[in-house]
Amino acid sequence: MLCVILGGRGFLGRHVGKAMAAAGYEVWSVDSAPGAPDDGLPWAAGEVACAYEDVASWLLLCGVPDVIVHLASFTVPAVASANPVEDSEVNLIGTLKLLMGLRQLSKQPRVIFASSGGAVYGRPLVVPLTEAHPTMPLGAYGVTKLAIEHHLRAESQLTGLPYRVLRISNPYGEWQRPHGVQGVIAVFAHRALQRQPVEVWGDGSVVRDFLYAGDVGTAFVAAAAHRGDATTFNIGGGVGISVNEILRTLESLLGHRVDRRMQPARPFDPQVNVLDISLARSQLGWAPEIAFEEGVGRSLQWLRGVE
Amino acid sequence: MLCVILGGRGFLGRHVGKAMAAAGYEVWSVDSAPGAPDDGLPWAAGEVACAYEDVASWLLLCGVPDVIVHLASFTVPAVASANPVEDSEVNLIGTLKLLMGLRQLSKQPRVIFASSGGAVYGRPLVVPLTEAHPTMPLGAYGVTKLAIEHHLRAESQLTGLPYRVLRISNPYGEWQRPHGVQGVIAVFAHRALQRQPVEVWGDGSVVRDFLYAGDVGTAFVAAAAHRGDATTFNIGGGVGISVNEILRTLESLLGHRVDRRMQPARPFDPQVNVLDISLARSQLGWAPEIAFEEGVGRSLQWLRGVE
């Protein structure tokens, strides 16, 4: 069974590629970023450096896959809101070109799309959020993710394309860069390692849903093999974790205090945002396996190695 | 008060332009299709022939409007499904370019967007459909309409852009061309006038929501002046009308029988699709005013004049 990972060189791509290879797939990476000579993908049977939507080019090299893991994404929420035209061009139009490329095939692969459990629902009306919660994204990033979900369903109804959507919460783990605008755990861990203070908005009681990236990998493995009518699954940690709990976990692992620099609470931040993962548990037979302290420990270990 | 109609030369544009002018606005049309010399827009203070997303060009000629009526749309459902890349490029990316153009203004106009009550909800779970019904569009056309709605909300939250969304049912009336793939009333009326048979899928009992286009015009007038928190309104006829009722109405107006050519029912057609217009009635103080027989009579009259 052949699996192509679009965005295989990214943070999540490396975890999902490893998990798919461990599950027995021959796994190829397609990524517009060519890898450095010393940065191989140990799980990859092969790599193609090209745009993910350039289907004809990568099909020629990998062959027709059974499963496409679609992790290619070129914006984060702040960038998407600042420039929604570019966000839609690279993420939405690119995905539609991908789907048009797949229309040419006699047997369509299963497309598994990484959507965002933090962005497609908008402000939670109830927590934990089930997949049936209204989808009212607050920014362009979530609008694009949601539009891609809808296009996959429409394409499936029109052409029979098999697909699954995973609405992932906040992933963290090895290969998450600490210098971006996303990834609070990587940012905090990096600063704590450097003995620098971290910025906390409000009193640190805000609760979010965090998931170790290796557990995201096993969710894709489960979605690749899923038989059943459900197509869209929340993939989260199953419990909420506050900003203060992140800091206590880091302090416990590091054995020293992490300085906080308190900032005023941001009124647009919902107090609690946690995904209900019952459907993934029952339908995919999937659950997160790595405890929070273990996952944060692995992040710290990886950051120590690259810094 | 200045109003710019994007798509002012289209079927709905002509009705909305007339209604806005009657309500006292100075109305300009922006339309990529230049008008023929004998096809003036009697309600228009001026016209610009350019792409709707080329904001800088038309602003230079019209000035900064108080209200933008966004009717520019370049696909119908079948075309959008056949080529979703092009659909998104012209309709979604174009609209985002419009919004980016408006970010430059010190005072943003109110944007009133013509969405589709027949496309954004998908298969009805209950009828009549309220604005709170889940939005699960069945095809690319509806996905794009819905994504534009979400982008308007996101833009409003980010920049304060004032906006309203009108989810219009199936409009009919003068200027609706009878040779397209949409507009069953225009198609039936044209064929009935030519004494040609009409094609009916199933037994003709399928019920849809039809609205005379002049009543769409008054809905835009009401949305332009609306003060209140609601942003999104169903705009429909308020009652369901079956295919057989359309044919009986035509027969009554024409005084002769219309031949049916029966076709097998299409399994993907919902039996009933009607919008609940309570919110527009209470919030906009709007209701359809033209009875179905009167509206169909006007359509017939117009078709007689152009054929």
Side-chain angles (χ1 to χ4, degrees):
Chain A
M1 297 280 277
L2 179 62
C3 169
V4 169
I5 313 242
L6 307 179
R9 290 207 149 265
F11 156 48
L12 284 181
R14 291 166 188 258
H15 287 272
V16 179
K18 185 177 166 188
M20 292 298 289
Y25 287 86
E26 178 187 336
V27 185
W28 282 64
S29 165
V30 170
D31 202 304
S32 50
D38 63 341
D39 183 23
L41 301 174
W43 43 265
E47 280 198 62
V48 185
C50 78
Y52 75 103
E53 70 265 34
D54 188 2
V55 181
S57 294
W58 57 256
L59 275 179
L60 205 64
L61 292 159
C62 323
V64 177
D66 300 285
V67 176
I68 294 173
V69 169
H70 181 6
L71 298 166
S73 178
F74 298 88
T75 45
V76 295
V79 172
S81 290
N83 193 344
V85 172
E86 191 182 330
D87 175 61
S88 286
E89 281 172 346
V90 297
N91 295 315
L92 178 68
I93 300 284
T95 298
L96 292 174
K97 288 180 179 169
L98 166 68
L99 298 184
M100 292 308 100
L102 301 181
R103 276 194 191 172
Q104 315 302 321
L105 302 176
S106 55
K107 183 176 172 297
Q108 290 195 297
R110 174 179 294 206
V111 176
I112 314 178
F113 174 61
S115 185
S116 165
V120 298
Y121 296 113
R123 188 163 288 272
L125 306 177
V126 287
V127 283
L129 292 146
T130 71
E131 292 83 355
H133 186 283
T135 44
M136 297 289 270
L138 296 171
Y141 179 84
V143 177
T144 293
K145 289 282 190 195
L146 182 62
I148 292 172
E149 290 190 9
H150 285 312
H151 275 297
L152 283 166
R153 193 185 62 254
E155 187 68 14
S156 179
Q157 283 172 341
L158 189 69
T159 70
L161 178 81
Y163 79 102
R164 294 295 183 277
V165 168
L166 302 186
R167 292 176 173 167
I168 302 164
S169 68
N170 298 290
Y172 69 92
E174 303 93 325
W175 293 298
Q176 187 170 40
R177 298 281 157 187
H179 303 291
V181 295
Q182 277 190 306
V184 65
I185 289 176
V187 173
F188 279 13
H190 165 74
R191 294 189 71 86
L193 280 169
Q194 305 290 321
R195 302 248 178 184
Q196 294 171 335
V198 302
E199 289 197 335
V200 175
W201 276 267
D203 63 2
S205 65
V206 161
V207 168
R208 290 291 179 272
D209 186 319
F210 295 97
L211 179 64
Y212 176 63
D215 285 327
V216 176
T218 57
F220 276 87
V221 172
H226 175 241
R227 304 273 164 257
D229 292 335
T231 55
T232 303
F233 302 94
N234 284 340
I235 300 296
V239 291
I241 291 172
S242 71
V243 170
N244 288 328
E245 283 171 84
I246 299 172
L247 291 168
R248 280 197 296 272
T249 303
L250 285 169
E251 289 174 335
S252 152
L253 287 163
L254 291 169
H256 65 75
R257 180 165 168 79
V258 178
D259 281 339
R260 285 94 161 141
R261 205 170 276 165
M262 309 309 279
Q263 306 285 348
R266 299 184 293 187
F268 54 86
D269 273 345
Q271 177 65 20
V272 181
N273 199 339
V274 179
L275 300 180
D276 183 326
I277 58 170
S278 314
L279 190 69
R281 285 184 193 272
S282 65
Q283 285 286 311
L284 300 181
W286 169 88
E289 287 176 3
I290 304 299
F292 187 64
E293 186 156 11
E294 167 71 17
V296 174
R298 294 187 190 183
S299 293
L300 282 170
Q301 196 59 36
W302 183 79
L303 285 168
R304 279 195 187 96
V306 294
E307 287 181 352
Chain B
M1 297 280 278
L2 179 64
C3 169
V4 169
I5 313 241
L6 308 178
R9 290 207 148 265
F11 155 49
L12 284 181
R14 292 168 188 257
H15 287 272
V16 179
K18 185 178 165 188
M20 294 297 290
Y25 286 87
E26 177 188 337
V27 186
W28 281 63
S29 166
V30 170
D31 201 307
S32 51
D38 61 341
D39 183 26
L41 301 173
W43 44 265
E47 281 198 62
V48 185
C50 80
Y52 75 102
E53 71 265 34
D54 190 1
V55 181
S57 293
W58 56 256
L59 274 180
L60 205 63
L61 292 159
C62 326
V64 177
D66 300 285
V67 176
I68 294 174
V69 168
H70 180 4
L71 297 167
S73 178
F74 298 89
T75 46
V76 294
V79 171
S81 290
N83 193 344
V85 172
E86 191 184 332
D87 176 60
S88 287
E89 282 172 345
V90 296
N91 295 314
L92 178 68
I93 301 283
T95 299
L96 292 173
K97 288 181 178 167
L98 166 70
L99 298 184
M100 291 310 99
L102 301 180
R103 275 194 192 172
Q104 314 303 319
L105 302 176
S106 55
K107 183 176 172 296
Q108 291 195 296
R110 173 178 295 205
V111 176
I112 314 178
F113 173 61
S115 184
S116 166
V120 298
Y121 296 112
R123 189 163 287 274
L125 306 175
V126 286
V127 283
L129 293 145
T130 71
E131 290 84 356
H133 186 282
T135 45
M136 296 289 270
L138 296 171
Y141 179 85
V143 176
T144 294
K145 289 282 189 193
L146 182 62
I148 292 171
E149 290 190 11
H150 285 312
H151 275 297
L152 283 166
R153 194 184 62 254
E155 187 68 14
S156 179
Q157 283 171 342
L158 189 69
T159 69
L161 178 79
Y163 78 102
R164 294 294 183 277
V165 169
L166 302 187
R167 293 177 172 167
I168 303 165
S169 68
N170 298 290
Y172 70 92
E174 303 94 325
W175 294 296
Q176 188 170 40
R177 298 281 157 188
H179 303 291
V181 294
Q182 278 189 307
V184 65
I185 290 176
V187 173
F188 280 12
H190 165 73
R191 294 189 70 87
L193 280 170
Q194 306 289 320
R195 302 246 177 184
Q196 294 171 337
V198 302
E199 290 196 334
V200 175
W201 276 268
D203 63 2
S205 65
V206 161
V207 168
R208 289 291 179 274
D209 187 320
F210 295 96
L211 179 63
Y212 176 63
D215 285 327
V216 177
T218 57
F220 275 87
V221 172
H226 176 240
R227 302 277 164 254
D229 292 336
T231 56
T232 303
F233 302 93
N234 285 339
I235 300 296
V239 291
I241 291 173
S242 71
V243 170
N244 288 328
E245 282 170 84
I246 298 172
L247 291 169
R248 279 196 297 272
T249 303
L250 285 169
E251 288 174 334
S252 151
L253 288 163
L254 292 168
H256 65 75
R257 181 165 166 78
V258 178
D259 280 340
R260 285 93 161 140
R261 205 172 274 165
M262 309 309 280
Q263 306 283 349
R266 299 185 294 189
F268 53 85
D269 273 344
Q271 177 65 22
V272 181
N273 200 337
V274 179
L275 301 180
D276 184 325
I277 57 171
S278 316
L279 191 68
R281 285 182 193 272
S282 65
Q283 285 287 310
L284 299 181
W286 169 89
E289 288 176 2
I290 304 300
F292 187 62
E293 188 157 9
E294 167 70 19
V296 175
R298 294 188 190 182
S299 293
L300 282 170
Q301 196 58 34
W302 183 79
L303 285 167
R304 279 196 187 97
V306 295
E307 287 180 352

